[in-house]
Amino acid sequence: MSGHSKWHSIKHKKGATDAKRGKLFTKIIRELTIAARLGGGDPDSNPRLRTAVDKAKGANMPADNITRAIKKGTGELEGTTYEDLVIEGYGPGGVALLIEGSTDNRNRTISEIRHLFSKYNGNLGNPGSVAYMFHPRGVISIAADKTTEDKLMEIVLEAGAEDIATEEEGFTVYTAPADFEAVREAVVKEGIEPDDAEVKKIADNNAALEGSKAQAMLKLLDALEDHEDVQNVWENSEISAQDLEAASAG
């Protein structure tokens, strides 16, 4: 999610993720399987699989679980067949939402997502209604106590980064999707561990929310991210640090 402070957004999302670690494993395993089915079981030649493996390792998933999920995707082991799913819609205040997931029953998943939108004052949109607003971009977030702006700028610009934004709590590095891995690896090679690193879909413009609409939006986001068929939720809300803190406290 966007926001007046990206770092409050990261903390809010991390807190929600930690509370749902069991479901996180399920989602990662499913993504490993799909990525391997579509692009093969070698992470070095399959960027989507490499990203999924990185997520699995970041979540401390056992290596055997990772291997089994990949083998199910390549057909070496039997497993459930999943398909990718993209759902578009609008949240409170007209916020655009682009949902990426996987399912073994498309009709069931869409029905359940529609119910969540309705519950939190949103509605589903037609295919293409909001997808055009979002564009992929590498995003690497690093806490301020891990490096200095000058050092980080030297590392990432030489590796191919497009831009770096500085806030009191940390730095955000932006890259083209094709340059993301090279920039991330350059940062890690210097002993700097990112707090968040992913190719995300970022909207051209944000919609500011506050008060009851902001709280409803945060509840919708948490409900969507908790759904076992949802892998990613991209949206263009701009929510204040105060509303994010209130949601975390609640």
mmCIF file of all heavy atoms in Angstrom, residues 40-57:
data_model
loop_
_atom_site.group_PDB
_atom_site.id
_atom_site.type_symbol
_atom_site.label_atom_id
_atom_site.label_comp_id
_atom_site.label_asym_id
_atom_site.label_seq_id
_atom_site.Cartn_x
_atom_site.Cartn_y
_atom_site.Cartn_z
ATOM 1 N N GLY A 40 9.560 -23.994 -15.649
ATOM 2 C CA GLY A 40 10.596 -24.978 -15.372
ATOM 3 C C GLY A 40 11.106 -24.902 -13.951
ATOM 4 O O GLY A 40 10.877 -23.922 -13.236
ATOM 5 N N GLY A 41 11.816 -25.939 -13.526
ATOM 6 C CA GLY A 41 12.211 -26.057 -12.129
ATOM 7 C C GLY A 41 13.557 -25.487 -11.760
ATOM 8 O O GLY A 41 14.021 -25.678 -10.627
ATOM 9 N N ASP A 42 14.208 -24.777 -12.683
ATOM 10 C CA ASP A 42 15.522 -24.195 -12.395
ATOM 11 C C ASP A 42 15.371 -22.704 -12.090
ATOM 12 O O ASP A 42 15.089 -21.909 -12.994
ATOM 13 C CB ASP A 42 16.451 -24.386 -13.590
ATOM 14 C CG ASP A 42 17.847 -23.835 -13.339
ATOM 15 O OD1 ASP A 42 18.117 -23.385 -12.201
ATOM 16 O OD2 ASP A 42 18.661 -23.843 -14.282
ATOM 17 N N PRO A 43 15.595 -22.292 -10.849
ATOM 18 C CA PRO A 43 15.441 -20.869 -10.490
ATOM 19 C C PRO A 43 16.366 -19.940 -11.265
ATOM 20 O O PRO A 43 16.028 -18.778 -11.490
ATOM 21 C CB PRO A 43 15.775 -20.841 -8.986
ATOM 22 C CG PRO A 43 15.537 -22.234 -8.518
ATOM 23 C CD PRO A 43 15.921 -23.107 -9.676
ATOM 24 N N ASP A 44 17.515 -20.446 -11.699
ATOM 25 C CA ASP A 44 18.466 -19.596 -12.420
ATOM 26 C C ASP A 44 17.935 -19.155 -13.782
ATOM 27 O O ASP A 44 18.319 -18.100 -14.292
ATOM 28 C CB ASP A 44 19.803 -20.328 -12.604
ATOM 29 C CG ASP A 44 20.548 -20.496 -11.294
ATOM 30 O OD1 ASP A 44 20.323 -19.674 -10.385
ATOM 31 O OD2 ASP A 44 21.332 -21.454 -11.177
ATOM 32 N N SER A 45 17.067 -19.954 -14.381
ATOM 33 C CA SER A 45 16.510 -19.617 -15.692
ATOM 34 C C SER A 45 15.027 -19.279 -15.624
ATOM 35 O O SER A 45 14.393 -19.079 -16.663
ATOM 36 C CB SER A 45 16.726 -20.787 -16.668
ATOM 37 O OG SER A 45 16.102 -21.965 -16.189
ATOM 38 N N ASN A 46 14.473 -19.218 -14.415
ATOM 39 C CA ASN A 46 13.052 -18.942 -14.219
ATOM 40 C C ASN A 46 12.911 -17.837 -13.172
ATOM 41 O O ASN A 46 12.866 -18.122 -11.974
ATOM 42 C CB ASN A 46 12.333 -20.224 -13.766
ATOM 43 C CG ASN A 46 10.826 -20.048 -13.626
ATOM 44 O OD1 ASN A 46 10.318 -18.931 -13.563
ATOM 45 N ND2 ASN A 46 10.113 -21.158 -13.551
ATOM 46 N N PRO A 47 12.838 -16.568 -13.583
ATOM 47 C CA PRO A 47 12.798 -15.447 -12.628
ATOM 48 C C PRO A 47 11.634 -15.533 -11.636
ATOM 49 O O PRO A 47 11.791 -15.199 -10.465
ATOM 50 C CB PRO A 47 12.660 -14.219 -13.535
ATOM 51 C CG PRO A 47 13.239 -14.645 -14.833
ATOM 52 C CD PRO A 47 12.884 -16.088 -14.985
ATOM 53 N N ARG A 48 10.474 -15.973 -12.118
ATOM 54 C CA ARG A 48 9.325 -16.077 -11.209
ATOM 55 C C ARG A 48 9.597 -17.109 -10.124
ATOM 56 O O ARG A 48 9.275 -16.888 -8.946
ATOM 57 C CB ARG A 48 8.068 -16.443 -11.997
ATOM 58 C CG ARG A 48 6.820 -16.589 -11.129
ATOM 59 C CD ARG A 48 5.565 -16.727 -11.952
ATOM 60 N NE ARG A 48 4.403 -16.975 -11.111
ATOM 61 C CZ ARG A 48 3.154 -17.068 -11.558
ATOM 62 N NH1 ARG A 48 2.890 -16.913 -12.840
ATOM 63 N NH2 ARG A 48 2.148 -17.312 -10.724
ATOM 64 N N LEU A 49 10.183 -18.222 -10.500
ATOM 65 C CA LEU A 49 10.513 -19.251 -9.513
ATOM 66 C C LEU A 49 11.591 -18.751 -8.563
ATOM 67 O O LEU A 49 11.533 -19.015 -7.357
ATOM 68 C CB LEU A 49 10.971 -20.534 -10.209
ATOM 69 C CG LEU A 49 11.350 -21.695 -9.286
ATOM 70 C CD1 LEU A 49 10.179 -22.105 -8.402
ATOM 71 C CD2 LEU A 49 11.837 -22.891 -10.105
ATOM 72 N N ARG A 50 12.582 -18.033 -9.093
ATOM 73 C CA ARG A 50 13.646 -17.504 -8.235
ATOM 74 C C ARG A 50 13.068 -16.569 -7.168
ATOM 75 O O ARG A 50 13.471 -16.625 -6.002
ATOM 76 C CB ARG A 50 14.674 -16.761 -9.091
ATOM 77 C CG ARG A 50 15.864 -16.250 -8.285
ATOM 78 C CD ARG A 50 17.004 -15.813 -9.181
ATOM 79 N NE ARG A 50 16.629 -14.704 -10.057
ATOM 80 C CZ ARG A 50 16.525 -14.809 -11.377
ATOM 81 N NH1 ARG A 50 16.752 -15.955 -11.988
ATOM 82 N NH2 ARG A 50 16.202 -13.754 -12.107
ATOM 83 N N THR A 51 12.121 -15.730 -7.553
ATOM 84 C CA THR A 51 11.477 -14.832 -6.587
ATOM 85 C C THR A 51 10.720 -15.629 -5.534
ATOM 86 O O THR A 51 10.767 -15.313 -4.339
ATOM 87 C CB THR A 51 10.509 -13.882 -7.314
ATOM 88 O OG1 THR A 51 11.244 -13.066 -8.232
ATOM 89 C CG2 THR A 51 9.787 -12.981 -6.314
ATOM 90 N N ALA A 52 10.017 -16.683 -5.968
ATOM 91 C CA ALA A 52 9.253 -17.510 -5.028
ATOM 92 C C ALA A 52 10.190 -18.235 -4.058
ATOM 93 O O ALA A 52 9.893 -18.360 -2.860
ATOM 94 C CB ALA A 52 8.397 -18.514 -5.789
ATOM 95 N N VAL A 53 11.321 -18.717 -4.567
ATOM 96 C CA VAL A 53 12.293 -19.396 -3.699
ATOM 97 C C VAL A 53 12.858 -18.410 -2.674
ATOM 98 O O VAL A 53 13.023 -18.748 -1.490
ATOM 99 C CB VAL A 53 13.426 -20.018 -4.539
ATOM 100 C CG1 VAL A 53 14.561 -20.489 -3.640
ATOM 101 C CG2 VAL A 53 12.901 -21.182 -5.366
ATOM 102 N N ASP A 54 13.133 -17.182 -3.106
ATOM 103 C CA ASP A 54 13.627 -16.160 -2.177
ATOM 104 C C ASP A 54 12.611 -15.888 -1.072
ATOM 105 O O ASP A 54 12.961 -15.734 0.101
ATOM 106 C CB ASP A 54 13.936 -14.864 -2.933
ATOM 107 C CG ASP A 54 15.197 -14.966 -3.777
ATOM 108 O OD1 ASP A 54 15.988 -15.889 -3.529
ATOM 109 O OD2 ASP A 54 15.370 -14.128 -4.686
ATOM 110 N N LYS A 55 11.324 -15.820 -1.450
ATOM 111 C CA LYS A 55 10.266 -15.605 -0.453
ATOM 112 C C LYS A 55 10.212 -16.777 0.521
ATOM 113 O O LYS A 55 10.041 -16.589 1.730
ATOM 114 C CB LYS A 55 8.911 -15.443 -1.138
ATOM 115 C CG LYS A 55 8.674 -14.093 -1.777
ATOM 116 C CD LYS A 55 7.244 -13.992 -2.283
ATOM 117 C CE LYS A 55 6.966 -12.624 -2.883
ATOM 118 N NZ LYS A 55 5.568 -12.517 -3.380
ATOM 119 N N ALA A 56 10.345 -17.980 -0.017
ATOM 120 C CA ALA A 56 10.291 -19.170 0.837
ATOM 121 C C ALA A 56 11.441 -19.167 1.838
ATOM 122 O O ALA A 56 11.250 -19.444 3.035
ATOM 123 C CB ALA A 56 10.336 -20.421 -0.032
ATOM 124 N N LYS A 57 12.633 -18.840 1.367
ATOM 125 C CA LYS A 57 13.786 -18.793 2.266
ATOM 126 C C LYS A 57 13.623 -17.671 3.291
ATOM 127 O O LYS A 57 13.992 -17.829 4.460
ATOM 128 C CB LYS A 57 15.063 -18.610 1.457
ATOM 129 C CG LYS A 57 15.435 -19.825 0.619
ATOM 130 C CD LYS A 57 16.706 -19.586 -0.190
ATOM 131 C CE LYS A 57 17.101 -20.815 -0.991
ATOM 132 N NZ LYS A 57 18.311 -20.576 -1.822
#
